[in-house]
Amino acid sequence: MDKTRPSAGRSWPATEAEHEVWVSKSATWGVQATVAVPREINYTSSIPPFIAERELRLSSASAAMAEEASNELIRFDESLNGEIAPFAPLLLRSEAAASSRIENLTASARAVLTAELANRSGGNAARKNAEIIVANTRAMQAALDLSDDLTSHSVLGMHRELMTGDAHHQGGSWREEAVWIGTSSLSPVGALFVAPNFRRVPRLVDDLMIFARRGDLPRLAQTAVAHAQFETIHPFTDGNGRTGRALMQAMMRAKQLTHNVTVPVSAGLLANTNGYHQALMQYREGDIDTIVTLTAESSFLAITNAKELVIDIRGIQASWREQIKARADSGVWALLDLLARQPVVTADSAAQTLGLNPTNIYRLLNQLEQNGVLKKKPEYRSSVFWRSDEILAALDRFAERSGRRG
């Protein structure tokens, strides 16, 4: 009998455990010893349940909250139906940045948007963080692009985009070693949580994705539980949290909770990261209500925060229209539309996006600089970068609000 199958009679099975042996190398002849010998240490790893066919038996309170949050997500998405162009990329980047911030990876909006264009690696810690957040944005976009294909293959694709350029971790491959959370990086002994043996990972992820594709479950609750299960499987050596939150976005798109934009739910989770980690631990003990309730609460917070960002961007665009005097057919209006969604540009990137001659784009950029819409500065010791400090400040205010409890 497969002991990883859930036993009957429990609404949701708790994670079980199995004994493992960790083989470490330690010096045995004093503190200056250079000779090391293997040492075997006993520990336990997790055995997550299979969930593909399980029902979600929620408390009435958490079920009602999840349903209300689902309706709010749909309404917010629909409210932007006619204004997708500026808000879809800004909200996508905001979600990627918030998801990264949960892992203590922070950078300003200016740093992230500059890193998108620079296409370079290295530099100080802030620049490296910005490059990691750019990779997370790619993973989020890959998740949305793959939302019609909720399979193990799509999860690997998300992770591959996330880990591009990482010299220490293989992107797009299941782990082949033990991973754990807490206490020590030297061994899993005494860890807060030890993920399942790597040999279990492929089958567990296949089972999870069957659960994710089901159409007979309450959608936001299904998304929350799938995320908790993914984090319990921990299928990669690094990037599990960011990939798992990208999977949440893919599921929300697949379940039609969102259609036009990415609602930055990770920005809601940031308001209570301790509660988020605790909810994952409670899930492993057989409690699904906590993670479902927290995901619903985070959705409400994310929508409130995103609405404020939308108001900020609309106000900035309105002030631009008052500042700029140009013919209705002037290319400056197309450039302003671009800046609302891409507030850091180079002359080449703007010309290419708008299909304009580079000579003409310099004229338009200089016009906006003279009107106070743009500032310019050489970055990365190469190109001149043009930026809208107003849009960047609005994005930074969004990030600051994300870190506060509602």
Side-chain angles (χ1 to χ4, degrees):
M1 176 176 132
D2 189 340
K3 64 179 179 177
T4 64
R5 291 287 180 187
S7 60
R10 289 192 292 185
S11 62
W12 200 264
T15 298
E16 297 181 2
E18 65 181 334
H19 293 290
E20 303 264 17
V21 176
W22 176 259
V23 179
S24 67
K25 290 187 176 182
S26 59
T28 56
W29 298 308
V31 294
Q32 301 298 323
T34 58
V35 178
V37 297
R39 186 164 63 96
E40 293 187 352
I41 305 172
N42 294 320
Y43 71 101
T44 58
S45 65
S46 302
I47 307 177
F50 286 99
I51 67 171
E53 299 178 3
R54 297 202 69 84
E55 298 303 316
L56 295 179
R57 298 176 184 172
L58 300 165
S59 70
S60 58
S62 61
M65 183 177 288
E67 184 62 22
E68 183 182 356
S70 296
N71 293 332
E72 284 297 309
L73 287 166
I74 293 168
R75 279 193 286 269
F76 174 71
D77 188 271
E78 290 177 345
S79 74
L80 297 176
N81 188 41
E83 300 178 276
I84 301 170
F87 298 118
L90 294 181
L91 290 171
L92 176 66
R93 291 191 191 95
S94 296
E95 167 64 4
S99 179
S100 299
R101 192 174 172 189
I102 291 173
E103 311 296 333
N104 296 315
L105 297 165
T106 61
S108 68
R110 176 181 170 184
V112 172
L113 285 151
T114 302
E116 277 188 11
L117 292 172
N119 194 28
R120 297 187 178 193
S121 60
N124 58 32
R127 186 171 293 177
K128 290 178 181 177
N129 279 1
E131 291 162 358
I132 292 171
I133 295 169
V134 170
N136 200 15
T137 305
R138 291 197 304 266
M140 289 285 178
Q141 186 59 61
L144 298 177
D145 294 341
L146 296 167
S147 60
D148 291 334
D149 179 38
L150 294 176
T151 63
S152 297
H153 177 75
S154 65
V155 172
L156 290 171
M158 297 172 206
H159 188 256
R160 187 178 300 111
E161 288 294 334
L162 176 67
M163 305 308 291
T164 297
D166 191 303
H168 304 291
H169 300 276
Q170 178 65 42
S173 298
W174 307 130
R175 60 181 169 86
E176 296 184 353
E177 59 188 83
V179 296
W180 58 92
I181 298 172
T183 65
S184 171
S185 61
L186 299 177
S187 85
V189 177
L192 296 174
F193 171 72
V194 181
N197 186 290
F198 70 87
R199 294 179 180 85
R200 296 183 179 274
V201 166
R203 189 177 172 203
L204 282 165
V205 176
D206 285 343
D207 174 84
L208 166 60
M209 300 313 290
I210 293 172
F211 175 84
R213 292 193 297 272
R214 284 172 57 181
D216 62 330
L217 298 171
R219 294 173 288 178
L220 190 64
Q222 180 184 16
T223 300
V225 169
H227 174 65
Q229 179 75 354
F230 182 89
E231 298 308 321
T232 299
I233 298 169
H234 239 61
F236 304 113
T237 56
D238 191 38
N240 292 284
R242 285 166 286 161
T243 304
R245 290 183 289 275
L247 176 60
M248 290 181 76
Q249 292 295 337
M251 287 188 65
M252 286 193 289
R253 183 64 57 90
K255 306 298 176 184
Q256 298 185 331
L257 292 172
T258 61
H259 178 69
N260 299 306
V261 296
T262 303
V263 179
V265 175
S266 293
L269 292 172
L270 258 175
N272 188 6
T273 52
N274 288 337
Y276 172 47
H277 295 306
Q278 184 61 37
L280 293 176
M281 293 301 291
Q282 289 178 244
Y283 170 82
R284 292 159 191 155
E285 296 169 0
D287 168 16
I288 60 174
D289 281 307
T290 303
I291 189 64
V292 170
T293 298
L294 182 65
T295 302
E297 291 173 345
S298 298
S299 298
F300 291 129
L301 289 173
I303 292 167
T304 299
N305 198 356
K307 284 180 177 177
E308 194 163 343
L309 177 62
V310 168
I311 291 169
D312 280 351
I313 301 301
R314 285 173 175 163
I316 293 166
Q317 289 176 303
S319 71
W320 287 349
R321 286 191 291 271
E322 292 178 359
Q323 286 175 257
I324 304 302
K325 306 301 179 184
R327 299 191 315 271
D329 61 349
S330 171
V332 74
W333 303 115
L335 179 55
L336 286 171
D337 287 342
L338 172 62
L339 292 169
R341 64 182 186 270
Q342 181 72 38
V344 177
V345 298
T346 63
D348 286 344
S349 73
Q352 183 176 0
T353 301
L354 298 176
L356 295 177
N357 184 289
T359 302
N360 292 336
I361 204 70
Y362 276 110
R363 177 176 56 80
L364 297 174
L365 289 167
N366 286 326
Q367 178 183 351
L368 293 182
E369 183 186 16
Q370 291 167 7
N371 281 273
V373 171
L374 289 178
K375 292 184 179 179
K376 66 179 178 181
K377 182 182 178 183
E379 301 275 3
Y380 285 75
R381 298 181 181 178
S382 57
S383 301
V384 172
F385 285 66
W386 307 73
R387 69 182 191 273
S388 164
D389 283 345
E390 292 175 289
I391 299 288
L392 293 173
L395 292 171
D396 285 338
R397 287 194 297 271
F398 173 93
E400 183 182 356
R401 291 192 301 267
S402 298
R404 295 199 300 258
R405 285 184 182 271

